[in-house]
Amino acid sequence: MVFQIVMIVLGLAVLLIAGDLLVRGAVGVATALKIPTLIVSLTIVAFGTSAPELFVSVQAVLAGESGIAIGNIIGSNIANVLLVLGLPAIVYPISAHVVGLRRHGVIMLAATAAFAAFAYATRTIDHTAGLVFIAGIIFYVVFMWIVAARGKGDDPVIGDPAEYAESTGLSAKTLLFLLAGLAGLPFGASLLVSYGGALASDLGVRHELIGLTIVAFGTSLPELATVMAAALHRKSDVAIGGIVGSNIFNIFAVGGAAGLSGASYFTPASLTLDVPVMITAALLICFAIFTRRDIGRVSGVLMIAAYIGFIAVAAVTAGA
C-alpha cells in the first residue's frame, strides 16, 4: 500500500510538471510562429492548463477505471471552489466584483446543469454526453473569442501567454519542453490511474474516492498556488475568473474527452453525495459573482470546513 501511495504521488508530480512544460513549450512554438496572442490564450493556455485532468480522465476510461474519471471531474470542481478559493480568502478577501465575470458564471451553471442532467437521466458519461460537452467547449471558446475581439476589456478567464513564455523565438529548450510535456502527461496519468485503482481495490472503497480526493487535490495544486500568491499580493480579484474558467473546462473539455473515449458510470454514492456537492459549490460561487459579494475570511473558513466535511463523509461512506 505504501508503494502504491508513493507511485500515486510520483504520478501527480510528473503530471503537474509535464503539464507546465507542455504549455511553456507550446506557447514558445506559437510565439515563434507569430500566432496571435488571443488565439494562444484561448487554445494553448486554456487547454494546456487543464491537460493533467484531461489525460487522467481519458487514461482512466481507457483503463476501465471510469470511477476515477468521474471522481476527477467532480472532485476538481469542488476543490476549486471550496479549497482553492476558501483557503486564500482566509489570508485576504477575494473580490467577486470583476468586470465580465457574470457571463462566465452563467456558462458555468449551464455546464454544471448539463453534467448533472446526464448524471441523473442516464447515469453515464458516454459518447452522446461527450459530443454535447465538446460542442459546449467549442461554443465557449468561440464566445470568448467574439467577446475579446470586440474589445470589451480584459477577460477575467483568459490567461496571459506571457506567464509561460520562455523565449521569443524557437529554441532547443522550447522543443525540449514540448516533447517532455507530451511524453510526461500520459506517463504520469498511467501511473496515477494504475496505482490509484489498485489502492482503491486494496482499501475496498469506491474508485471515485481516489479521483475525488488524491487526484482532484493534486491537480488543483497549481490553481491553489496561483490564487494564494494573488491573495498574498492583495490581487485576489483576478483569481476567481481562473477558477470559473477551470470548472467550465473540467466539464466541457475533460468530460467531453472522457465521454468520447468510452463510457463512465455514476454510482449511487456519486449521485447522492458527490454531484449534489458539486452543484452546491457552483451555486455558491455564482451567488458571490451575481451579487458581487466578497468572499471574506469567515466565508473562507466555512468553505474549508465544508471541504473537509465533504472529504470526511465521502471517506466514511466509501465502501465499494
Side-chain angles (χ1 to χ4, degrees), residues 173-223:
K173 183 179 180 181
T174 297
L175 294 176
L176 182 61
F177 280 2
L178 184 61
L179 292 175
L182 290 173
L185 281 168
F187 176 68
S190 179
L191 287 178
L192 200 57
V193 171
S194 297
Y195 289 97
L199 179 63
S201 297
D202 287 351
L203 294 174
V205 300
R206 60 189 179 102
H207 289 205
E208 292 98 327
L209 186 65
I210 302 299
L212 286 167
T213 55
I214 300 174
V215 179
F217 176 79
T219 54
S220 294
L221 286 177
E223 287 91 347

Side-chain angles (χ1 to χ4, degrees), residues 240-267:
I240 193 169
I243 297 303
V244 172
S246 177
N247 280 11
I248 294 171
F249 270 80
N250 279 341
I251 292 177
F252 281 157
V254 179
L260 293 180
S261 300
S264 299
Y265 301 95
F266 291 86
T267 62

Side-chain angles (χ1 to χ4, degrees), residues 4-5 11 22 33 44 68 84 103 120 149 167 173 190 195 241 255 257 260 269 273 282 314:
Q4 292 169 346
I5 294 174
L22 176 67
L33 296 176
I44 295 173
I68 294 179
V84 176
R103 54 179 173 259
Y120 291 107
S167 63
K173 183 179 180 181
S190 179
Y195 289 97
L260 293 180
L273 175 65

